[in-house]
Amino acid sequence: MNVPDWKDFHEKMKETAPLVIHYPICGGGDECIFVCPFADKIWEVVPMKVSLFGVKYKVRLRPFMSNPWSCRMCYICVQACPTGALRPVDDPVKHPALVLLYNTLKLPFKKRYGLKFVFRKEHGERFKRNNWPDGEGDLTR
Protein backbone atom coordinates (compact mmCIF):
# COMPACT_ATOMS: atom_id res chain seq x y z
CA MET A 1 0.00 0.00 0.00
CA ASN A 2 1.43 3.36 -1.04
CA VAL A 3 0.73 5.79 1.82
CA PRO A 4 1.64 9.48 1.55
CA ASP A 5 4.05 11.10 4.00
CA TRP A 6 2.68 13.44 6.68
CA LYS A 7 4.39 16.38 4.96
CA ASP A 8 2.04 16.04 1.98
CA PHE A 9 -0.99 16.48 4.24
CA HIS A 10 0.72 19.27 6.17
CA GLU A 11 1.46 21.22 2.99
CA LYS A 12 -2.05 20.69 1.62
CA MET A 13 -3.58 22.06 4.84
CA LYS A 14 -1.19 25.04 4.76
CA GLU A 15 -2.39 25.90 1.26
CA THR A 16 -6.14 25.40 1.71
CA ALA A 17 -7.13 25.40 5.40
CA PRO A 18 -7.22 28.00 8.18
CA LEU A 19 -5.49 25.46 10.45
CA VAL A 20 -2.48 23.21 10.11
CA ILE A 21 -1.36 20.12 12.02
CA HIS A 22 2.29 19.42 12.79
CA TYR A 23 1.85 15.64 12.60
CA PRO A 24 5.08 14.50 14.33
CA ILE A 25 3.70 15.80 17.64
CA CYS A 26 0.03 14.90 17.00
CA GLY A 27 -1.05 12.18 19.42
CA GLY A 28 -3.79 10.88 17.15
CA GLY A 29 -6.54 10.81 19.78
CA ASP A 30 -8.94 12.80 17.55
CA GLU A 31 -9.69 15.41 20.22
CA CYS A 32 -9.98 18.02 17.48
CA ILE A 33 -12.65 16.00 15.72
CA PHE A 34 -14.46 15.13 18.95
CA VAL A 35 -15.04 18.77 19.97
CA CYS A 36 -15.73 20.22 16.53
CA PRO A 37 -19.46 20.95 16.09
CA PHE A 38 -19.09 20.46 12.32
CA ALA A 39 -16.68 17.51 12.44
CA ASP A 40 -18.57 15.34 9.98
CA LYS A 41 -18.41 18.12 7.36
CA ILE A 42 -14.78 19.15 7.94
CA TRP A 43 -12.57 16.35 9.27
CA GLU A 44 -11.61 12.86 8.22
CA VAL A 45 -9.05 10.41 9.57
CA VAL A 46 -6.52 9.31 6.97
CA PRO A 47 -3.52 6.94 6.94
CA MET A 48 -0.12 8.61 6.57
CA LYS A 49 3.52 7.88 7.26
CA VAL A 50 4.42 9.74 10.42
CA SER A 51 6.92 9.49 13.24
CA LEU A 52 7.67 11.25 16.48
CA PHE A 53 10.50 13.67 15.71
CA GLY A 54 11.67 11.67 12.68
CA VAL A 55 12.22 8.41 14.57
CA LYS A 56 10.66 5.15 13.32
CA TYR A 57 8.24 6.11 10.57
CA LYS A 58 5.02 4.10 10.64
CA VAL A 59 1.65 4.26 8.95
CA ARG A 60 -0.70 5.89 11.43
CA LEU A 61 -4.18 7.37 11.24
CA ARG A 62 -4.33 11.11 11.75
CA PRO A 63 -6.99 13.84 11.42
CA PHE A 64 -7.02 15.82 8.21
CA MET A 65 -9.16 18.82 7.29
CA SER A 66 -10.61 17.48 4.04
CA ASN A 67 -13.23 20.26 3.65
CA PRO A 68 -11.58 23.40 5.03
CA TRP A 69 -14.19 25.71 3.49
CA SER A 70 -16.71 24.33 6.03
CA CYS A 71 -14.57 25.47 8.99
CA ARG A 72 -16.15 28.31 11.00
CA MET A 73 -12.75 29.23 12.54
CA CYS A 74 -14.03 29.01 16.10
CA TYR A 75 -10.73 27.34 17.12
CA ILE A 76 -12.42 25.01 19.63
CA CYS A 77 -10.37 22.21 18.09
CA VAL A 78 -7.14 24.17 18.67
CA GLN A 79 -8.03 24.62 22.35
CA ALA A 80 -8.76 20.90 22.71
CA CYS A 81 -5.50 19.72 21.13
CA PRO A 82 -3.46 18.37 24.06
CA THR A 83 -0.11 18.40 22.23
CA GLY A 84 -0.29 21.79 20.50
CA ALA A 85 0.06 20.16 17.07
CA LEU A 86 -3.07 21.85 15.68
CA ARG A 87 -2.49 25.56 15.10
CA PRO A 88 -3.74 28.44 12.96
CA VAL A 89 -1.80 28.67 9.69
CA ASP A 90 -0.34 32.06 10.68
CA ASP A 91 1.03 30.59 13.97
CA PRO A 92 2.88 27.39 12.96
CA VAL A 93 4.87 25.13 15.27
CA LYS A 94 8.44 26.44 15.26
CA HIS A 95 10.04 24.28 17.98
CA PRO A 96 8.13 20.97 18.14
CA ALA A 97 9.83 19.59 21.27
CA LEU A 98 9.17 22.77 23.24
CA VAL A 99 5.57 22.99 22.02
CA LEU A 100 4.93 19.38 23.03
CA LEU A 101 6.57 19.85 26.45
CA TYR A 102 4.73 23.12 27.11
CA ASN A 103 1.33 21.70 26.18
CA THR A 104 1.90 18.51 28.15
CA LEU A 105 2.77 20.50 31.26
CA LYS A 106 -0.19 22.84 30.71
CA LEU A 107 -2.72 20.02 30.27
CA PRO A 108 -3.58 19.48 33.98
CA PHE A 109 -4.41 23.19 34.32
CA LYS A 110 -6.74 23.47 31.34
CA LYS A 111 -10.26 23.90 32.68
CA ARG A 112 -12.38 22.72 29.77
CA TYR A 113 -10.11 20.33 27.88
CA GLY A 114 -7.78 19.05 30.57
CA LEU A 115 -6.76 15.64 31.87
CA LYS A 116 -10.31 14.33 32.35
CA PHE A 117 -11.04 15.14 28.71
CA VAL A 118 -7.92 13.45 27.37
CA PHE A 119 -8.20 10.36 29.58
CA ARG A 120 -11.79 9.49 28.72
CA LYS A 121 -12.42 5.97 27.40
CA GLU A 122 -13.21 7.13 23.83
CA HIS A 123 -9.86 8.94 23.63
CA GLY A 124 -7.97 5.82 24.64
CA GLU A 125 -9.76 3.71 22.05
CA ARG A 126 -9.16 6.24 19.27
CA PHE A 127 -5.54 6.69 20.31
CA LYS A 128 -4.93 2.93 20.08
CA ARG A 129 -6.82 2.63 16.78
CA ASN A 130 -5.00 5.58 15.20
CA ASN A 131 -1.50 4.69 16.37
CA TRP A 132 -1.63 0.93 15.94
CA PRO A 133 -4.19 0.27 13.20
CA ASP A 134 -2.87 -3.27 12.70
CA GLY A 135 -3.50 -4.22 16.35
CA GLU A 136 0.13 -4.29 17.49
CA GLY A 137 -0.66 -1.73 20.20
CA ASP A 138 -3.34 -3.79 21.88
CA LEU A 139 -2.55 -3.25 25.53
CA THR A 140 -4.98 -5.91 26.71
CA ARG A 141 -2.77 -8.81 25.56
Side-chain angles (χ1 to χ4, degrees):
M1 179 166 92
N2 191 10
V3 179
D5 192 70
W6 71 270
K7 293 174 187 170
D8 299 336
F9 293 99
H10 180 78
E11 289 302 315
K12 189 171 182 182
M13 281 183 71
K14 267 178 39 179
E15 293 171 5
T16 61
L19 303 171
V20 68
I21 300 174
H22 188 75
Y23 289 106
I25 61 173
C26 175
D30 295 348
E31 291 89 349
C32 50
I33 296 173
F34 183 78
V35 300
C36 180
F38 307 102
D40 56 336
K41 297 175 185 163
I42 299 171
W43 296 97
E44 72 177 284
V45 178
V46 297
M48 62 181 73
K49 286 182 205 164
V50 70
S51 69
L52 183 62
F53 301 114
V55 178
K56 199 171 183 181
Y57 273 81
K58 284 186 154 190
V59 175
R60 301 181 192 276
L61 300 173
R62 291 292 183 259
F64 174 68
M65 193 177 268
S66 58
N67 299 309
W69 49 88
S70 297
C71 180
R72 304 292 200 282
M73 291 184 268
C74 62
Y75 298 135
I76 293 172
C77 55
V78 174
Q79 294 170 16
C81 181
T83 62
L86 181 61
R87 310 284 288 262
V89 171
D90 57 355
D91 184 25
V93 172
K94 293 177 183 78
H95 305 288
L98 294 176
V99 168
L100 181 61
L101 178 65
Y102 172 77
N103 282 285
T104 302
L105 293 173
K106 185 173 86 169
L107 192 59
F109 304 103
K110 283 185 171 183
K111 290 186 178 159
R112 187 167 184 182
Y113 302 113
L115 287 175
K116 286 182 183 177
F117 176 72
V118 171
F119 288 124
R120 43 183 228 290
K121 184 180 177 185
E122 298 87 12
H123 167 78
E125 291 168 1
R126 287 180 179 150
F127 180 81
K128 284 189 247 178
R129 180 198 71 202
N130 292 348
N131 285 293
W132 300 286
D134 56 1
E136 73 183 56
D138 186 5
L139 302 176
T140 60
R141 283 192 243 163

mmCIF file of all heavy atoms in Angstrom, residues 6-23 64-65 68 85-93:
data_model
loop_
_atom_site.group_PDB
_atom_site.id
_atom_site.type_symbol
_atom_site.label_atom_id
_atom_site.label_comp_id
_atom_site.label_asym_id
_atom_site.label_seq_id
_atom_site.Cartn_x
_atom_site.Cartn_y
_atom_site.Cartn_z
ATOM 1 N N TRP A 6 3.418 12.407 5.943
ATOM 2 C CA TRP A 6 2.682 13.439 6.683
ATOM 3 C C TRP A 6 2.904 14.823 6.094
ATOM 4 O O TRP A 6 2.016 15.681 6.163
ATOM 5 C CB TRP A 6 3.049 13.415 8.159
ATOM 6 C CG TRP A 6 4.438 13.900 8.484
ATOM 7 C CD1 TRP A 6 5.564 13.138 8.549
ATOM 8 C CD2 TRP A 6 4.848 15.233 8.773
ATOM 9 N NE1 TRP A 6 6.656 13.906 8.855
ATOM 10 C CE2 TRP A 6 6.241 15.205 9.008
ATOM 11 C CE3 TRP A 6 4.186 16.451 8.855
ATOM 12 C CZ2 TRP A 6 6.975 16.338 9.321
ATOM 13 C CZ3 TRP A 6 4.922 17.589 9.167
ATOM 14 C CH2 TRP A 6 6.298 17.527 9.406
ATOM 15 N N LYS A 7 4.076 15.053 5.509
ATOM 16 C CA LYS A 7 4.394 16.384 4.959
ATOM 17 C C LYS A 7 3.459 16.760 3.819
ATOM 18 O O LYS A 7 3.148 17.937 3.634
ATOM 19 C CB LYS A 7 5.850 16.426 4.508
ATOM 20 C CG LYS A 7 6.816 16.323 5.659
ATOM 21 C CD LYS A 7 8.238 16.218 5.188
ATOM 22 C CE LYS A 7 9.144 15.939 6.376
ATOM 23 N NZ LYS A 7 10.486 15.593 5.993
ATOM 24 N N ASP A 8 2.992 15.772 3.063
ATOM 25 C CA ASP A 8 2.041 16.044 1.983
ATOM 26 C C ASP A 8 0.732 16.611 2.536
ATOM 27 O O ASP A 8 0.190 17.580 2.005
ATOM 28 C CB ASP A 8 1.751 14.772 1.181
ATOM 29 C CG ASP A 8 2.985 14.196 0.518
ATOM 30 O OD1 ASP A 8 3.946 14.965 0.271
ATOM 31 O OD2 ASP A 8 3.006 12.981 0.257
ATOM 32 N N PHE A 9 0.242 16.005 3.606
ATOM 33 C CA PHE A 9 -0.992 16.478 4.237
ATOM 34 C C PHE A 9 -0.783 17.840 4.896
ATOM 35 O O PHE A 9 -1.638 18.716 4.836
ATOM 36 C CB PHE A 9 -1.496 15.470 5.264
ATOM 37 C CG PHE A 9 -1.956 14.188 4.640
ATOM 38 C CD1 PHE A 9 -1.141 13.077 4.612
ATOM 39 C CD2 PHE A 9 -3.213 14.098 4.066
ATOM 40 C CE1 PHE A 9 -1.564 11.896 4.044
ATOM 41 C CE2 PHE A 9 -3.654 12.921 3.487
ATOM 42 C CZ PHE A 9 -2.821 11.815 3.471
ATOM 43 N N HIS A 10 0.382 18.008 5.516
ATOM 44 C CA HIS A 10 0.718 19.272 6.170
ATOM 45 C C HIS A 10 0.726 20.411 5.151
ATOM 46 O O HIS A 10 0.140 21.469 5.389
ATOM 47 C CB HIS A 10 2.089 19.128 6.847
ATOM 48 C CG HIS A 10 2.557 20.349 7.554
ATOM 49 N ND1 HIS A 10 2.085 20.714 8.796
ATOM 50 C CD2 HIS A 10 3.443 21.298 7.195
ATOM 51 C CE1 HIS A 10 2.678 21.829 9.167
ATOM 52 N NE2 HIS A 10 3.514 22.198 8.217
ATOM 53 N N GLU A 11 1.378 20.191 4.027
ATOM 54 C CA GLU A 11 1.456 21.225 2.989
ATOM 55 C C GLU A 11 0.080 21.527 2.384
ATOM 56 O O GLU A 11 -0.246 22.685 2.124
ATOM 57 C CB GLU A 11 2.427 20.809 1.888
ATOM 58 C CG GLU A 11 3.878 20.835 2.311
ATOM 59 C CD GLU A 11 4.334 22.204 2.800
ATOM 60 O OE1 GLU A 11 4.013 23.219 2.152
ATOM 61 O OE2 GLU A 11 5.013 22.255 3.845
ATOM 62 N N LYS A 12 -0.719 20.486 2.180
ATOM 63 C CA LYS A 12 -2.054 20.694 1.616
ATOM 64 C C LYS A 12 -2.909 21.546 2.562
ATOM 65 O O LYS A 12 -3.630 22.437 2.129
ATOM 66 C CB LYS A 12 -2.727 19.356 1.336
ATOM 67 C CG LYS A 12 -4.008 19.495 0.565
ATOM 68 C CD LYS A 12 -4.531 18.156 0.114
ATOM 69 C CE LYS A 12 -5.800 18.351 -0.702
ATOM 70 N NZ LYS A 12 -6.369 17.098 -1.134
ATOM 71 N N MET A 13 -2.820 21.266 3.871
ATOM 72 C CA MET A 13 -3.575 22.064 4.837
ATOM 73 C C MET A 13 -3.059 23.500 4.872
ATOM 74 O O MET A 13 -3.848 24.432 4.987
ATOM 75 C CB MET A 13 -3.523 21.439 6.231
ATOM 76 C CG MET A 13 -4.473 20.267 6.393
ATOM 77 S SD MET A 13 -4.506 19.553 8.054
ATOM 78 C CE MET A 13 -5.331 20.847 8.976
ATOM 79 N N LYS A 14 -1.744 23.689 4.768
ATOM 80 C CA LYS A 14 -1.186 25.045 4.760
ATOM 81 C C LYS A 14 -1.730 25.863 3.591
ATOM 82 O O LYS A 14 -1.966 27.055 3.721
ATOM 83 C CB LYS A 14 0.344 24.992 4.675
ATOM 84 C CG LYS A 14 0.997 25.027 6.012
ATOM 85 C CD LYS A 14 2.501 24.937 6.008
ATOM 86 C CE LYS A 14 3.267 25.650 4.958
ATOM 87 N NZ LYS A 14 4.726 25.495 5.094
ATOM 88 N N GLU A 15 -1.924 25.210 2.461
ATOM 89 C CA GLU A 15 -2.392 25.901 1.256
ATOM 90 C C GLU A 15 -3.887 26.188 1.270
ATOM 91 O O GLU A 15 -4.322 27.196 0.732
ATOM 92 C CB GLU A 15 -2.072 25.055 0.024
ATOM 93 C CG GLU A 15 -0.606 24.920 -0.264
ATOM 94 C CD GLU A 15 -0.327 23.893 -1.350
ATOM 95 O OE1 GLU A 15 -1.281 23.359 -1.946
ATOM 96 O OE2 GLU A 15 0.862 23.615 -1.582
ATOM 97 N N THR A 16 -4.688 25.293 1.872
ATOM 98 C CA THR A 16 -6.136 25.395 1.712
ATOM 99 C C THR A 16 -6.920 25.646 2.992
ATOM 100 O O THR A 16 -8.059 26.085 2.920
ATOM 101 C CB THR A 16 -6.696 24.101 1.088
ATOM 102 O OG1 THR A 16 -6.424 23.001 1.952
ATOM 103 C CG2 THR A 16 -6.091 23.844 -0.282
ATOM 104 N N ALA A 17 -6.354 25.370 4.154
ATOM 105 C CA ALA A 17 -7.127 25.399 5.396
ATOM 106 C C ALA A 17 -6.703 26.556 6.308
ATOM 107 O O ALA A 17 -5.574 27.034 6.221
ATOM 108 C CB ALA A 17 -6.950 24.077 6.130
ATOM 109 N N PRO A 18 -7.592 26.968 7.209
ATOM 110 C CA PRO A 18 -7.221 28.000 8.176
ATOM 111 C C PRO A 18 -6.353 27.455 9.308
ATOM 112 O O PRO A 18 -5.757 28.204 10.057
ATOM 113 C CB PRO A 18 -8.571 28.476 8.720
ATOM 114 C CG PRO A 18 -9.494 27.332 8.524
ATOM 115 C CD PRO A 18 -9.012 26.610 7.294
ATOM 116 N N LEU A 19 -6.283 26.115 9.412
ATOM 117 C CA LEU A 19 -5.494 25.461 10.453
ATOM 118 C C LEU A 19 -4.499 24.497 9.819
ATOM 119 O O LEU A 19 -4.691 24.063 8.691
ATOM 120 C CB LEU A 19 -6.418 24.668 11.390
ATOM 121 C CG LEU A 19 -7.517 25.454 12.073
ATOM 122 C CD1 LEU A 19 -8.472 24.508 12.775
ATOM 123 C CD2 LEU A 19 -6.957 26.455 13.038
ATOM 124 N N VAL A 20 -3.469 24.177 10.573
ATOM 125 C CA VAL A 20 -2.481 23.212 10.105
ATOM 126 C C VAL A 20 -2.071 22.324 11.282
ATOM 127 O O VAL A 20 -2.070 22.768 12.426
ATOM 128 C CB VAL A 20 -1.267 23.931 9.462
ATOM 129 C CG1 VAL A 20 -0.460 24.696 10.476
ATOM 130 C CG2 VAL A 20 -0.399 22.983 8.684
ATOM 131 N N ILE A 21 -1.776 21.068 10.990
ATOM 132 C CA ILE A 21 -1.359 20.121 12.022
ATOM 133 C C ILE A 21 0.099 19.753 11.795
ATOM 134 O O ILE A 21 0.491 19.369 10.701
ATOM 135 C CB ILE A 21 -2.214 18.832 11.980
ATOM 136 C CG1 ILE A 21 -3.683 19.157 12.216
ATOM 137 C CG2 ILE A 21 -1.716 17.825 13.020
ATOM 138 C CD1 ILE A 21 -4.609 17.969 12.043
ATOM 139 N N HIS A 22 0.902 19.885 12.843
ATOM 140 C CA HIS A 22 2.287 19.420 12.791
ATOM 141 C C HIS A 22 2.263 17.958 13.263
ATOM 142 O O HIS A 22 2.300 17.667 14.459
ATOM 143 C CB HIS A 22 3.178 20.285 13.680
ATOM 144 C CG HIS A 22 4.624 19.959 13.518
ATOM 145 N ND1 HIS A 22 5.345 20.342 12.415
ATOM 146 C CD2 HIS A 22 5.477 19.275 14.301
ATOM 147 C CE1 HIS A 22 6.580 19.910 12.530
ATOM 148 N NE2 HIS A 22 6.683 19.255 13.672
ATOM 149 N N TYR A 23 2.128 17.051 12.308
ATOM 150 C CA TYR A 23 1.848 15.641 12.598
ATOM 151 C C TYR A 23 2.862 14.915 13.474
ATOM 152 O O TYR A 23 2.473 14.023 14.216
ATOM 153 C CB TYR A 23 1.613 14.879 11.297
ATOM 154 C CG TYR A 23 0.309 15.258 10.644
ATOM 155 C CD1 TYR A 23 0.277 16.060 9.507
ATOM 156 C CD2 TYR A 23 -0.903 14.828 11.170
ATOM 157 C CE1 TYR A 23 -0.926 16.426 8.913
ATOM 158 C CE2 TYR A 23 -2.108 15.184 10.586
ATOM 159 C CZ TYR A 23 -2.109 15.978 9.456
ATOM 160 O OH TYR A 23 -3.297 16.331 8.895
ATOM 161 N N PHE A 64 -7.355 14.973 9.350
ATOM 162 C CA PHE A 64 -7.022 15.825 8.211
ATOM 163 C C PHE A 64 -8.252 16.649 7.865
ATOM 164 O O PHE A 64 -9.367 16.126 7.841
ATOM 165 C CB PHE A 64 -6.596 14.969 7.006
ATOM 166 C CG PHE A 64 -6.369 15.760 5.762
ATOM 167 C CD1 PHE A 64 -5.316 16.644 5.661
ATOM 168 C CD2 PHE A 64 -7.229 15.631 4.682
ATOM 169 C CE1 PHE A 64 -5.113 17.374 4.505
ATOM 170 C CE2 PHE A 64 -7.033 16.358 3.526
ATOM 171 C CZ PHE A 64 -5.969 17.234 3.440
ATOM 172 N N MET A 65 -8.061 17.926 7.637
ATOM 173 C CA MET A 65 -9.156 18.821 7.289
ATOM 174 C C MET A 65 -9.429 18.685 5.796
ATOM 175 O O MET A 65 -8.838 19.370 4.969
ATOM 176 C CB MET A 65 -8.781 20.258 7.664
ATOM 177 C CG MET A 65 -9.930 21.218 7.649
ATOM 178 S SD MET A 65 -9.458 22.869 8.172
ATOM 179 C CE MET A 65 -9.806 22.780 9.905
ATOM 180 N N PRO A 68 -11.900 22.224 4.218
ATOM 181 C CA PRO A 68 -11.577 23.403 5.025
ATOM 182 C C PRO A 68 -12.551 24.562 4.846
ATOM 183 O O PRO A 68 -12.682 25.390 5.738
ATOM 184 C CB PRO A 68 -10.172 23.785 4.558
ATOM 185 C CG PRO A 68 -10.010 23.162 3.230
ATOM 186 C CD PRO A 68 -10.864 21.936 3.230
ATOM 187 N N ALA A 85 -0.253 20.441 18.478
ATOM 188 C CA ALA A 85 0.059 20.164 17.075
ATOM 189 C C ALA A 85 -0.866 20.914 16.116
ATOM 190 O O ALA A 85 -0.467 21.258 15.015
ATOM 191 C CB ALA A 85 -0.034 18.670 16.795
ATOM 192 N N LEU A 86 -2.096 21.166 16.520
ATOM 193 C CA LEU A 86 -3.073 21.854 15.682
ATOM 194 C C LEU A 86 -3.001 23.348 15.969
ATOM 195 O O LEU A 86 -3.203 23.780 17.103
ATOM 196 C CB LEU A 86 -4.481 21.315 15.976
ATOM 197 C CG LEU A 86 -5.624 21.918 15.175
ATOM 198 C CD1 LEU A 86 -5.451 21.665 13.687
ATOM 199 C CD2 LEU A 86 -6.949 21.336 15.641
ATOM 200 N N ARG A 87 -2.703 24.113 14.935
ATOM 201 C CA ARG A 87 -2.494 25.559 15.098
ATOM 202 C C ARG A 87 -3.085 26.312 13.921
ATOM 203 O O ARG A 87 -3.247 25.763 12.838
ATOM 204 C CB ARG A 87 -0.993 25.864 15.114
ATOM 205 C CG ARG A 87 -0.132 25.047 16.039
ATOM 206 C CD ARG A 87 -0.251 25.455 17.482
ATOM 207 N NE ARG A 87 0.381 26.711 17.748
ATOM 208 C CZ ARG A 87 1.596 26.840 18.261
ATOM 209 N NH1 ARG A 87 2.305 25.792 18.548
ATOM 210 N NH2 ARG A 87 2.085 28.027 18.502
ATOM 211 N N PRO A 88 -3.375 27.605 14.110
ATOM 212 C CA PRO A 88 -3.743 28.439 12.963
ATOM 213 C C PRO A 88 -2.560 28.508 11.989
ATOM 214 O O PRO A 88 -1.399 28.432 12.402
ATOM 215 C CB PRO A 88 -4.013 29.811 13.575
ATOM 216 C CG PRO A 88 -4.308 29.542 15.012
ATOM 217 C CD PRO A 88 -3.498 28.320 15.372
ATOM 218 N N VAL A 89 -2.858 28.650 10.716
ATOM 219 C CA VAL A 89 -1.803 28.671 9.690
ATOM 220 C C VAL A 89 -0.794 29.786 9.956
ATOM 221 O O VAL A 89 0.407 29.602 9.739
ATOM 222 C CB VAL A 89 -2.417 28.821 8.279
ATOM 223 C CG1 VAL A 89 -1.351 29.075 7.236
ATOM 224 C CG2 VAL A 89 -3.198 27.578 7.917
ATOM 225 N N ASP A 90 -1.253 30.931 10.456
ATOM 226 C CA ASP A 90 -0.341 32.057 10.681
ATOM 227 C C ASP A 90 0.463 31.932 11.988
ATOM 228 O O ASP A 90 1.242 32.805 12.323
ATOM 229 C CB ASP A 90 -1.089 33.383 10.639
ATOM 230 C CG ASP A 90 -2.230 33.459 11.648
ATOM 231 O OD1 ASP A 90 -2.513 32.441 12.319
ATOM 232 O OD2 ASP A 90 -2.843 34.536 11.761
ATOM 233 N N ASP A 91 0.281 30.838 12.741
ATOM 234 C CA ASP A 91 1.028 30.594 13.974
ATOM 235 C C ASP A 91 1.536 29.152 13.993
ATOM 236 O O ASP A 91 1.135 28.343 14.826
ATOM 237 C CB ASP A 91 0.127 30.864 15.186
ATOM 238 C CG ASP A 91 0.873 30.731 16.508
ATOM 239 O OD1 ASP A 91 2.109 30.895 16.529
ATOM 240 O OD2 ASP A 91 0.205 30.436 17.513
ATOM 241 N N PRO A 92 2.431 28.793 13.064
ATOM 242 C CA PRO A 92 2.876 27.395 12.961
ATOM 243 C C PRO A 92 3.783 26.974 14.121
ATOM 244 O O PRO A 92 4.301 27.817 14.851
ATOM 245 C CB PRO A 92 3.656 27.375 11.640
ATOM 246 C CG PRO A 92 4.177 28.768 11.509
ATOM 247 C CD PRO A 92 3.117 29.655 12.111
ATOM 248 N N VAL A 93 3.963 25.677 14.262
ATOM 249 C CA VAL A 93 4.872 25.127 15.267
ATOM 250 C C VAL A 93 6.302 25.401 14.807
ATOM 251 O O VAL A 93 6.700 24.985 13.728
ATOM 252 C CB VAL A 93 4.642 23.607 15.431
ATOM 253 C CG1 VAL A 93 5.708 22.988 16.312
ATOM 254 C CG2 VAL A 93 3.257 23.348 15.987
#
